[in-house]
């Protein structure tokens, strides 16, 4: 982390877990534990839990994220959720391009760019996920893969809009597997993303960009990962469902 240059952000991705009632209960547990955290704390909950989450975070600094949104404001897209609807509810953030969306729901760099463009236009802040598969890492093409994902996701996004984007580097092989990138691997790829952003915009924009690491981050390994100069926070799946573990990561990011 380099808090002099950019805010540290700890975000939970609850995925398809928790009912509305369970969401209220878990946020009530998290709230006092992160009350003094010196970092931005966000919970990413299922769509149908957003109302309860927004209610439950009142009186705290916890932000609420949706886990996806559509690329149109409205229309004949049965089952989809508009970014305008999310913003209208008071949702502040949306996670886009998560590898599970890419892997199971056919999302591409192009559709991620379209969703991101619409989300920003609606006034949402975006957590943009990128990362290589195990096969890509073993083939030595991690840098190319991640640079391509960043370039395509950020197509036609202005430097001003970039201020509302957080990037999450999430090696696919580390998500939900218990395998974590080493602190050095995480830092190296976050640095590649920052350099790519400098090429696309300028150095000042790249230095301002918060880049999280995600992939089996937990209460034990968070401090080492967050000590890296280019790792500015975490996107956390499994460990974000346990209040004490999530809070411990936020505490590690508060140092
Ligand atoms: C994620 O879902 O973004 C994630 C990083 O999951 P986990 O922490 O469980 O690996």
């Amino acid at each position: 982390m380099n808090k002099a240059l950019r805010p540290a952000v700890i975000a939970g991705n609850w995925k398809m877990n928790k009912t509305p009632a369970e969401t209220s209960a878990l946020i009530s547990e998290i709230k006092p534990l992160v009350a003094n955290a010196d970092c931005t704390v966000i919970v990413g909950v299922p769509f149908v839990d957003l109302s309860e989450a927004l209610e439950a975070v009142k009186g705290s600094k916890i932000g609420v994220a949706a886990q996806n949104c559509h690329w149109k404001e409205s229309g004949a897209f049965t089952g989809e959720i508009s970014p305008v609807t999310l913003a209208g509810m008071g949702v502040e953030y949306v996670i886009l391009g998560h590898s599970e969306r890419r892997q199971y729901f056919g999302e591409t760099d192009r559709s991620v760019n379209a969703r991101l463009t619409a989300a920003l236009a609606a006034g949402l802040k975006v957590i943009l996920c990128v990362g290589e598969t195990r096969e890509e890492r073993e083939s030595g093409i991690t840098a190319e893969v991640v640079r391509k994902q960043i370039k395509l996701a950020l197509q036609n996004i202005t430097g001003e809009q970039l201020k509302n984007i957080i990037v999450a580097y999430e090696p696919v092989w580390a998500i939900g597997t218990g395998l974590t990138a080493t602190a050095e691997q995480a830092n190296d790829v976050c640095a590649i993303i920052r350099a790519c952003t400098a090429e696309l915009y300028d150095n000042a924009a790249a230095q301002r960009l918060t880049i999280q690491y995600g992939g089996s981050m937990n209460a034990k390994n968070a401090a080492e990962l967050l000590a890296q100069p280019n790792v500015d926070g975490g996107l956390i799946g499994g460990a974000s469902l346990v209040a004490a573990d999530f809070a411990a990561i936020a505490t590690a990011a508060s140092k």
Side-chain angles (χ1 to χ4, degrees):
M1 294 182 293
N2 186 337
K3 288 188 174 178
L5 290 176
R6 46 200 176 250
V9 181
I10 298 299
N13 174 17
W14 292 10
K15 313 193 188 201
M16 197 177 70
N17 294 294
K18 304 296 173 189
T19 64
E22 289 167 347
T23 290
S24 299
L26 182 52
I27 290 175
S28 300
E29 250 191 280
I30 292 170
K31 231 165 136 171
L33 302 179
V34 300
N36 297 317
D38 182 23
C39 62
T40 302
V41 177
I42 301 168
V43 290
V45 307
F47 285 126
V48 293
D49 297 353
L50 285 167
S51 291
E52 278 74 10
L54 288 165
E55 191 57 36
V57 298
K58 280 188 181 156
S60 78
K61 288 185 295 184
I62 302 173
V64 173
Q67 298 174 11
N68 196 16
C69 71
H70 199 258
W71 55 80
K72 291 280 190 196
E73 284 187 13
S74 62
F77 300 103
T78 304
E80 289 294 316
I81 303 288
S82 158
V84 175
T85 304
L86 297 174
M89 291 178 77
V91 172
E92 192 177 353
Y93 298 91
V94 61
I95 299 168
L96 293 175
H98 192 278
S99 67
E100 287 153 14
R101 300 288 324 165
R102 296 179 191 253
Q103 192 178 345
Y104 304 127
F105 303 102
E107 295 209 8
T108 62
D109 291 321
R110 193 168 293 278
S111 67
V112 170
N113 171 255
R115 290 176 204 271
L116 185 143
T117 303
L120 293 173
L124 296 170
K125 294 175 188 151
V126 172
I127 299 177
L128 164 66
C129 304
V130 297
E132 82 288 1
T133 62
R134 179 196 290 267
E135 192 190 5
E136 288 163 343
R137 177 161 283 272
E138 286 170 355
S139 306
I141 59 169
T142 297
E144 285 101 305
V145 168
V146 171
R147 282 172 56 84
K148 178 172 172 246
Q149 289 173 335
I150 288 287
K151 285 185 175 182
L152 293 176
L154 295 181
Q155 227 166 32
N156 299 318
I157 299 301
T158 66
E160 204 46 41
Q161 288 175 307
L162 186 71
K163 292 178 182 164
N164 288 321
I165 297 175
I166 294 164
V167 172
Y169 165 55
E170 299 210 301
V172 179
W173 48 272
I175 298 179
T177 57
L179 295 173
T180 314
T182 64
E184 194 187 357
Q185 285 171 330
N187 190 60
D188 284 352
V189 182
C190 290
I192 288 166
I193 292 169
R194 201 174 304 288
C196 182
T197 311
E199 285 167 36
L200 294 174
Y201 300 91
D202 55 34
N203 194 47
Q207 291 305 325
R208 263 197 312 267
L209 181 69
T210 291
I211 306 177
Q212 302 171 310
Y213 166 78
S216 301
M217 187 185 265
N218 57 42
K220 286 208 175 88
N221 61 26
E224 192 190 353
L225 288 158
L226 294 168
Q228 299 301 310
N230 281 294
V231 178
D232 306 315
L235 180 57
I236 299 116
S240 72
L241 295 168
V242 179
D245 290 357
F246 186 58
I249 298 170
T251 301
S254 300
K255 300 263 156 67

